[in-house]
Amino acid sequence: MLFKKRAERLFMWVFFPLALLMPMFLEQNEYYVNKLTTIMILSIFVMSLDYLVGKCGLITLGHAMFYGLGGYLFVILAPEYEAVNFWVYTFYICAISAAIALVIGLLVLRTSGIYMIMITLAFAQMTFYYFSGSIDYGGTDGVFVYVKPETSIFGLSLFDLDNPTHFYYLCLLSLFNTLLFFKVLVRSQFGRVVDAIQVNPGRTTALGYNIFVYKLMSYVVASALGAYAGYLFTLQYGFVNPSMLSWTTSGTALVMLILGGIGSIYGAILGTITYEGLHYTLEHWTEHWMLFMGGLIILMVMVFKKGIAGFLEDLLEKRDGK
Amino acid sequence: MENNVILETEGLCKYWGGLKALDNLSLAFHDKQLHGIVGPNGAGKSTLLNMLCGHYKPTSGEIIYRGESISSIKPFEFARRGIGRSFQKTNIYTNATCLENCCVAVQRLMGGSFNFFRSRYSQKMLDDIATKALEKVGLAHRRDYIASQISYGEQRQLEIAMVLATSPALLLLDEPMAGMGHEESQLIINLLNTLKKEYCIVLVEHDMDAIFELSDQLTVMVDGQHLVTGSVDEVREDARVKEAYLGQGDEVY
């Protein structure tokens, strides 16, 4: 069984049907559909980070680099006034990001812990300053996307990306696939070695595994998916700018992850919803929303020690025990 | 006897700065024999094991495995060539079941570790081989227990099972009986007595009774240097060994 914990199954049965029906409830309210779409996209990003941090033990503060690259690669590669194919560019962007992650991973993964945090941060900041300073790519203003890609496969076009509801469903489908992919990956034979490395790298080497290769592959996969999320984000808002690459983007994703529950995969969605929900509520209530947000996050981290996912799991297991 | 040498060291040295942890050590380890290594604390026993399994690189000298120098290969390649290692401090996956612990070991042999999609839980053959390794050390009844929940002695047995599951030719065991009660030690002694019929075992141990009982060859080390190698009886009678362990008798107290 892919979803072993009761909390996971509960989440799957509640979240996805609800998310599927959501646009119907919101009918013509484009603002909320867009908001939810962003949550789906961020969830993909946070989930790919969770795989690195929670499953592989690779703590990075530079994941936003791939998020931003997803966007920038699109505006660099795609012609400005011509609709390209969405799926073809998905492939291009993921493949190029994977190649970049492979090269950077070769350097970054030689370190661990605090050093790895610093080096990933350094790489992300390098790209951040490169794009903020580049005239070709709009400097700090970024670049606009004038024409959105079309999504036909073999002549069949399922999604119209200019339609917010269609775009919402595309992102929901992507999120569902990402979740499934990571769950399968964690359960796989590759996942067994990744688990072993996280718990006890020394033992795993002594059993004959070249642990560097496994870390590198995990890094490449998670980075490619992070770039995919950035690509979706760029298509949604029709522009890319350096703030996507900023270290605060990485930091926010980590906060979402910690809120949701590190290492649970589906917790990434819970964390993103909670964070964005809080953000939205507080922002409309007071100008000093960050003050309250910070306080609430501290409180939540103290109450839910293993994140919201961990809290749910404990709750349901306790009920099982009785 | 000379022709079944599996592993040899030639002039092996390890210096930590100015400290000679291991100085010019030349030893030969034979198949289907248990080679005991004893010596006072700081004699360089663990350093030697750490080099034989690739954990440390020698400062100079060679490690020759089946006639080929392996001093410069990567640590994980030692295990791939059949050099299995148990550590002084129990080194297992404490969060996983005993079966899963062994499965990690077996999977390295069976392949499939780069398969992103095939479930690790549907590998019957892999599970069977892992179970056999557990049976070999007498842990079959703990198969589905989480490794952190079994006793300390059993964890040591589990570690040996994991090493066996990689089907090694050579076992490097670093104090497998450390911290064990008498009965638990006896279990390990019995186990090693069976295993030495199949494998070459290098055993570092402080329990003298155990090592005298088990060893076919015994090496005594002092201060990073080789003192004497021979059968248990030869070593027992050797004047230099008595001197190293008991002192010359002319110190002024």
Side-chain angles (χ1 to χ4, degrees), chain B residues 139-188:
Chain B
L139 268 187
H141 61 296
R142 292 282 183 253
R143 184 177 180 266
D144 298 317
Y145 283 60
I146 302 289
S148 59
Q149 291 169 350
I150 60 177
S151 75
Y152 177 73
E154 286 172 332
Q155 290 181 350
R156 309 283 345 205
Q157 283 168 272
L158 174 61
E159 198 180 348
I160 294 173
M162 288 167 75
V163 176
L164 292 179
T166 62
S167 54
L170 181 76
L171 297 174
L172 306 172
L173 307 178
D174 200 353
E175 300 193 28
M177 285 162 248
M180 271 192 193
H182 181 73
E183 273 168 41
E184 286 178 321
S185 296
Q186 200 53 50
L187 257 169
I188 299 277

Side-chain angles (χ1 to χ4, degrees), chain A residues 7-62:
Chain A
E8 271 178 322
R9 291 202 292 274
L10 181 73
F11 173 82
M12 293 301 283
W13 283 113
V14 172
F15 175 78
F16 282 102
L18 214 59
L20 213 57
L21 298 174
M22 217 43 160
M24 289 173 205
F25 294 130
L26 299 170
E27 296 219 22
Q28 299 309 314
N29 200 332
E30 226 172 73
Y31 175 81
Y32 288 107
V33 174
N34 274 331
K35 192 89 200 159
L36 289 176
T37 308
T38 310
I39 289 178
M40 305 293 155
I41 295 171
L42 281 174
S43 296
I44 297 174
F45 179 57
V46 175
M47 202 176 279
S48 64
L49 183 66
D50 188 26
Y51 182 68
L52 279 185
V53 175
K55 284 293 163 194
C56 310
L58 302 169
I59 303 172
T60 155
L61 201 52

Side-chain angles (χ1 to χ4, degrees), chain A residues 4 185-193 195-196 199-200 203-210 214 217 221, chain B residues 76 79-80 85 91-93 95 100 103-104 107-108 112-121 126 159 166:
Chain A
K4 280 190 162 175
L185 187 60
V186 165
R187 190 191 57 169
S188 73
Q189 289 189 280
F190 178 81
R192 165 180 273 155
V193 184
D195 273 355
V199 178
N200 194 336
R203 176 79 263 177
T204 312
T205 304
L207 289 176
Y209 288 103
N210 185 357
Y214 292 86
M217 287 179 76
V221 167
Chain B
F76 71 87
R80 297 192 154 235
R85 162 84 202 261
N91 206 342
I92 53 177
Y93 305 112
N95 65 335
E100 177 66 17
C103 281
V104 179
Q107 187 176 294
R108 211 267 294 139
S113 293
F114 286 111
N115 196 315
F116 276 22
F117 300 104
R118 203 197 303 150
S119 168
R120 64 171 105 160
Y121 301 112
L126 214 146
E159 198 180 348
T166 62

